Amino acid sequence: MSLYGVMRTGTSGMNAQANRLSVVADNVANVNTVGYKSASCEFSSLLLSNSAASYECGSVSTAVRQNINAQGGLINTSSVSDLAVTGSGFFVVANPAGTPYLTRAGSFVMNSEGALVNSAGFSLLGYKLDPGQPDVTVNGYDNLTPVNLATRSMSALPTTSGTFTANLPSTADVIDPAVLPSLNAADSSYSAKSSLLTYDTLGAVVKLDIYFAKTAGSEWEVTVFNAADAASGGGFPYSSDPLVTESLTFTSTGVLEDGAPDTLDLTIPGGADLSLDVAGLTQLASPYSVISAQVNGAPAGQPIDMEFASDGYVYAIYEAGNRIPIYRIPLGEVTSPNLLKPVAGNVFLTTSESGEVTMGFAETGGLGSILSKTLEQSTVDLAGELTTMIDAQRGYTANSKVFQTGAELMDVLVNLKR
């Protein structure tokens, strides 16, 4: 046995416990850090070659394990830009130099330039939806840009689709074909009429007049006019052709026959093509009544708020209540998240051990959902850390005793010469 080896082993043990205390110190200091993932210190023995007649003590080494894949508790906040992930995904952020990192710290606020940054100054990255869905690179950070909410501007959303559901009375009188709704017929007759508000490409309101005329027992004709072309005071005659005219046939049970048109396809004056779903029309022994009349589109207006959806879409909300998606926030994941490299600012870099990042979107695979007005708490268990601290303190003291004993025996050995 070597007394020097005893002292060396005691020093190794003290160093290992000091490393353990360092990890505990980091954990305790970050007990309230949003999205912080606690670490732990693991020991492994280093043994030397020994024989039956002589034993040479070895030492101990430490390895810090990052428990990055642990899910922290969730707390509610009042800020819509406070975001949390419930799953394996990570937000992608960038430092001022543009270097991308992964993080779970989602306490984002809008800075003076309109970018969303967290408490460490990292900008949230996303795909800009301009004009449509982004070009996503699944194994890299290409096409990601800082989410900037200051670029929102006035917007108008033209009407492109809608639904019109109503009951046409089976007891209605059949209209003489000679007086069906037409261009210049001031004496046009019809069985029912409704008006529908739509929007052109500039956000101006375009009012559509929809006429229903019964032409036979189970047959109807539907005609749509631009209300702006109506006669003074409204109604016939119109100064322009109908936008669309369709014939509808109903079955004996009062629903549209198979093969009958289930949409009214027309072009809104000054606007886009509109597909109006009328598949829900019925012909029953009941007065004319509109059950549902809905169209998309919105007038021109200023953005007044924003919304973060659970699937990662970021919406600008306008004065008229319409919601326009402007960004989609992706989530990244790696094969072994516990082997990511922690970097100052509560962010992580990929390594050869963790595997390269794979990009995806919330609510797909195991990436989880994105929750607004929510933050992920630190995963530090304060009571457990204090227990570990006491245990490390005792371990350090015991190893110091080993070193002290070895030193005393070394003094005895030196003094034998005297």
Side-chain angles (χ1 to χ4, degrees):
M1 177 185 74
S2 167
L3 292 178
Y4 173 75
V6 171
M7 296 170 64
R8 184 190 62 229
T9 301
T11 302
S12 172
M14 286 189 290
N15 184 63
Q17 296 298 337
N19 288 342
R20 190 182 184 193
L21 279 171
S22 297
V23 173
V24 170
D26 267 348
N27 289 340
V28 172
N30 288 280
V31 67
N32 293 318
T33 301
V34 171
Y36 178 79
K37 303 300 182 179
S38 65
S40 58
C41 190
E42 298 182 347
F43 297 165
S44 60
S45 60
L46 297 176
L47 300 179
L48 301 179
S49 300
N50 292 285
S51 65
S54 175
Y55 184 84
E56 188 71 25
C57 55
S59 60
V60 60
S61 67
T62 57
V64 177
R65 178 184 176 186
Q66 304 291 335
N67 303 312
I68 299 173
N69 64 345
Q71 174 75 53
L74 302 178
I75 55 172
N76 295 327
T77 71
S78 59
S79 174
V80 295
S81 59
D82 281 341
L83 307 176
V85 178
T86 60
S88 63
F90 293 83
F91 295 114
V92 182
V93 295
N95 63 10
T99 305
Y101 298 88
L102 301 176
T103 188
R104 297 277 287 202
S107 54
F108 297 104
V109 296
M110 189 165 64
N111 65 11
S112 60
E113 298 176 351
L116 288 179
V117 297
N118 63 15
S119 56
F122 290 86
S123 301
L124 178 64
L125 301 185
Y127 294 107
K128 192 171 184 179
L129 303 180
D130 185 19
Q133 291 299 318
D135 181 15
V136 179
T137 303
V138 296
N139 63 341
Y141 303 109
D142 290 354
N143 301 323
L144 285 172
T145 60
V147 175
N148 191 306
L149 303 178
T151 58
R152 296 176 295 170
S153 59
M154 288 192 68
S155 175
L157 188 65
T159 299
T160 58
S161 63
T163 301
F164 188 91
T165 304
N167 179 66
L168 306 178
S170 61
T171 55
D173 295 332
V174 174
I175 304 297
D176 185 345
V179 293
L180 288 176
S182 60
L183 175 60
N184 296 313
D187 59 345
S188 293
S189 296
Y190 52 89
S191 306
K193 175 194 174 184
S194 289
S195 295
L196 196 63
L197 298 182
T198 62
Y199 303 95
D200 66 15
T201 54
L202 299 179
V205 175
V206 178
K207 183 179 178 182
L208 304 180
D209 289 339
I210 305 175
Y211 292 92
F212 295 95
K214 189 174 183 180
T215 57
S218 297
E219 297 178 4
W220 290 73
E221 184 177 277
V222 55
T223 309
V224 181
F225 289 92
N226 181 5
D229 298 331
S232 178
F236 294 98
Y238 287 82
S239 62
S240 63
D241 292 329
L243 300 176
V244 66
T245 299
E246 289 285 1
S247 296
L248 307 176
T249 303
F250 294 88
T251 67
S252 59
T253 59
V255 299
L256 284 174
E257 278 190 346
D258 291 339
D262 56 7
T263 61
L264 299 179
D265 297 317
L266 58 99
T267 300
I268 296 174
D273 292 337
L274 167 63
S275 178
L276 188 63
D277 186 349
V278 294
L281 289 174
T282 58
Q283 182 195 246
L284 301 173
S286 179
Y288 174 73
S289 61
V290 178
I291 301 169
S292 174
Q294 298 178 346
V295 295
N296 67 352
Q302 293 277 4
I304 58 173
D305 204 354
M306 60 183 175
E307 176 184 322
F308 294 82
S310 60
D311 57 2
Y313 280 103
V314 182
Y315 293 91
I317 302 176
Y318 287 80
E319 295 170 320
N322 55 309
R323 300 157 61 250
I324 298 179
I326 53 176
Y327 286 94
R328 192 171 187 187
I329 300 170
L331 294 177
E333 66 175 346
V334 295
T335 304
S336 183
N338 288 341
L339 295 178
L340 288 168
K341 179 183 179 182
V343 180
N346 204 11
V347 296
F348 308 101
L349 280 174
T350 58
T351 66
S352 57
E353 291 82 9
S354 70
E356 294 302 318
V357 68
T358 299
M359 302 301 298
F361 291 112
E363 300 186 344
T364 60
L367 291 173
S369 299
I370 296 176
L371 303 182
S372 178
K373 294 186 177 182
T374 307
L375 290 175
E376 183 180 0
Q377 294 178 296
S378 168
T379 59
V380 173
D381 177 7
L382 187 56
E385 295 300 324
L386 294 177
T387 302
T388 302
M389 183 188 301
I390 295 171
D391 190 43
Q393 180 183 11
R394 290 177 176 173
Y396 191 96
T397 301
N399 278 281
S400 68
K401 274 303 208 180
V402 171
F403 181 89
Q404 184 179 6
T405 301
E408 290 174 353
L409 292 176
M410 185 68 74
D411 286 341
V412 171
L413 182 62
V414 171
N415 290 333
L416 287 177
K417 183 179 179 182
R418 296 176 183 175

